[in-house]
Amino acid sequence: MLGNFRYHNATTLYFGEDSLQYLNDELQKYGQTVQLIYGGGSIKKNGVYDAVTAILKANGKTIVEDGGVMPNPTVDKLREGVAIARANQVDLLLAVGGGSCCDYAKAVSVSIYCDEDPWDKYFVRFEEPTCKVVPVGCVLTMAGTGSEMNGGSVITNHQEKLKIGHVFGDDVMPKFSILNPRFTMSLPKRQMVAGIYDIFNHICEQYFSGEDDNVSDDLAEALMRSVVRNSLVANEDPQNYEARSNIMWAATWALNTLISRGKAGDWRVHMLGQAAGAYTDATHGMTLAAVSLPYYRYILPYGVKKFARFATRVWDVCPDGKTEGELAEAGLAAMENWMKTLGLAMDLRSLGATEEMIEGIADATFNLDAGYKALTRDEVVQILKASL
Ligand code: NZQ
Ligand code: ZN
């Protein structure tokens, strides 16, 4: 492990079929008024809303409703949530849903006592909160983003055609998250596989950087193997609890700062996918799937050693008689087969992108350079065209 780093995680997790009961204990730590944040209604259909509100009521809490958080939460919805929180002087933001609800709760939490415009301060200037931060708790209903145990908050601004993530510090991370795999069982299959690819790509983003021997990469390989194995079971049998619970736990560890220790990280697929998402509002994991193979094939010659290792250790490609380059390509071919088996989006056009959008998407793509190849804008355009 080269380099120097700190490791701390501020979130307490409760995992398993019985985990919701721990909400009772957690609620004791916070004040009277709870802003109940949820999405477009899935929690009302699958019983999670009733289960959570029963516990809030049993603990004598005042519930302030804040539903309608859309996938890829917008800055307009953020402003609405802040107004609700201010009007009711809420003490806890309880997100019950997927990454969108959890991300949104964090963005509200840093904006309630902030006089400046949250979009400009946090998502354009990337400043840290200087005001009181209202605590966030999470009851997760979709596995994918890792938002339940990280400081990430991604907000979309449709007027400016930008989708931007800010990774906040310990203060903003959920104080607690409740992970009951049963709550994910009502997810439509398309959302389930999008979440699975999101998990896998979070691991790739951290894995495909650097050439040193480090524990983070070993952990990453084990997580990737687990995600692939369990995804194939869940794809055949979505109600398989064992597979879904493994996927949920892997999602948390894929992006909770553990496997990023000692790594620069790439994050190019996310930058491309997020920019495409700003134009199409498509499902996050699908945007990542659509750009991944053109991107990885483009940078493969610059990181061929790591792609060859990825092939043998994650995909069990037999190295016999293969050059490093052939091995690396065989690994990506195996990944492509797996992606097609899951039914992921393999191009941006199927997500609503058009040729006319390419230049705009390229402009909206943040330029990071910690991966194996710094990209020029022309190269970004080339990759986006290959993804179409
Ligand atoms: O809104 P409802 O009705 O709840 O429906 C949601 C939504 O339509 C549905 N859903 C969730 N749980 C369900 C369910 N439907 C039935 N049963 C359930 N149990 O699924 C749809 C998608 O939900 P969403 O929360 O949007 O998905 P996800 O968890 O993938 O979150 C996506 C957002 O997270 C951001 C993405 O950019 C995107 O905005 N990300 C956050 C990250 C972070 N905090 O670190 C990192 C990621 O890379 C990602 O960028
Ligand atoms: Zn992601």
Side-chain angles (χ1 to χ4, degrees):
M1 290 302 288
L2 306 179
N4 302 283
F5 55 83
R6 165 181 179 267
Y7 183 76
H8 171 75
N9 197 299
T11 306
T12 300
L13 294 179
Y14 300 95
F15 189 92
E17 285 193 88
D18 300 332
S19 52
L20 188 61
Q21 60 174 303
Y22 294 101
L23 183 57
N24 289 296
D25 302 341
E26 286 294 337
L27 289 175
Q28 310 307 315
K29 302 177 190 167
Y30 306 99
Q32 175 63 27
T33 308
V34 179
Q35 184 159 337
L36 180 62
I37 291 168
Y38 55 95
S42 70
I43 64 163
K44 292 203 169 161
K45 290 190 202 127
N46 62 14
V48 176
Y49 176 89
D50 288 344
V52 169
T53 51
I55 292 176
L56 289 169
K57 285 177 192 157
N59 284 275
K61 299 292 180 182
T62 306
I63 302 171
V64 175
E65 293 261 343
D66 182 9
V69 177
M70 61 294 283
N72 310 319
T74 63
V75 69
D76 296 330
K77 176 64 189 164
L78 167 60
R79 296 199 171 103
E80 196 184 303
V82 171
I84 294 171
R86 285 180 181 162
N88 295 280
Q89 305 212 323
V90 301
D91 300 302
L92 174 69
L93 300 162
L94 184 63
V96 185
S100 292
C101 289
C102 210
D103 280 18
Y104 164 86
K106 293 175 207 168
V108 172
S109 93
V110 295
S111 306
I112 300 169
Y113 292 97
C114 174
D115 297 330
E116 296 161 79
D117 180 71
W119 173 256
D120 290 342
K121 183 176 172 69
Y122 300 121
F123 299 94
V124 176
R125 299 200 302 272
F126 287 101
E127 290 173 14
E128 293 312 313
T130 44
C131 56
K132 178 180 158 188
V133 171
V134 175
V136 170
C138 172
V139 177
L140 196 66
T141 65
M142 164 156 178
T145 64
S147 188
E148 65 274 15
M149 204 184 195
N150 69 37
S153 174
V154 184
I155 297 295
T156 297
N157 185 324
H158 286 304
Q159 289 80 33
E160 296 186 20
K161 287 212 169 355
L162 288 171
K163 181 176 182 185
I164 300 178
H166 183 136
V167 181
F168 291 100
D170 293 355
D171 285 1
V172 186
M173 287 170 67
K175 298 285 178 241
F176 65 91
S177 285
I178 293 173
L179 278 59
N180 181 340
R182 285 268 171 240
F183 292 174
T184 70
M185 293 293 192
S186 52
L187 261 182
K189 197 165 180 192
R190 188 179 154 81
Q191 290 293 343
M192 178 189 81
V193 296
I196 288 169
Y197 191 72
D198 193 20
I199 303 166
F200 189 83
N201 190 253
H202 291 157
I203 309 170
C204 291
E205 297 279 29
Q206 295 160 93
Y207 183 73
F208 288 121
S209 68
E211 298 196 337
D212 55 310
D213 185 336
N214 65 79
V215 176
S216 293
D217 284 344
D218 292 325
L219 292 169
E221 286 162 356
L223 283 170
M224 286 193 273
R225 292 180 70 90
S226 180
V227 171
V228 170
R229 194 177 63 247
N230 286 289
S231 71
L232 294 172
V233 176
N235 192 44
E236 288 295 312
D237 175 16
Q239 297 303 309
N240 186 307
Y241 181 86
E242 199 174 13
R244 298 296 292 271
S245 62
N246 281 329
I247 290 165
M248 195 173 205
W249 192 229
T252 303
W253 288 92
L255 194 54
N256 71 352
T257 75
L258 175 72
I259 64 165
S260 64
R261 294 311 84 180
K263 302 281 307 179
D266 180 352
W267 294 103
R268 275 283 191 176
V269 169
H270 270 68
M271 295 306 104
L272 291 159
Q274 269 175 217
Y279 274 74
T280 59
D281 207 25
T283 299
H284 172 65
M286 292 301 189
T287 62
L288 306 178
V291 299
S292 283
L293 284 160
Y295 172 69
Y296 287 134
R297 288 194 166 121
Y298 190 81
I299 65 158
L300 184 146
Y302 307 92
V304 67
K305 268 196 166 33
K306 195 57 164 290
F307 281 99
R309 174 175 158 171
F310 175 69
T312 55
R313 300 218 187 158
V314 179
W315 299 102
D316 293 331
V317 177
C318 174
D320 292 353
K322 292 191 186 67
T323 64
E324 215 168 43
E326 286 166 350
L327 199 51
E329 278 165 23
L332 288 183
M335 180 171 116
E336 181 171 7
N337 279 341
W338 169 67
M339 292 170 75
K340 286 181 175 162
T341 303
L342 294 190
L344 291 162
M346 300 306 284
D347 60 76
L348 285 173
R349 206 183 290 277
S350 64
L351 300 175
T354 60
E355 252 127 46
E356 294 68 48
M357 290 179 187
I358 296 291
E359 293 293 328
I361 297 175
D363 287 339
T365 303
F366 276 66
N367 196 5
L368 306 177
D369 61 3
Y372 291 124
K373 165 92 176 80
L375 297 181
T376 64
R377 189 180 177 284
D378 282 352
E379 288 173 313
V380 169
V381 169
Q382 209 177 309
I383 291 164
L384 287 170
K385 282 188 176 160
S387 306
L388 205 58

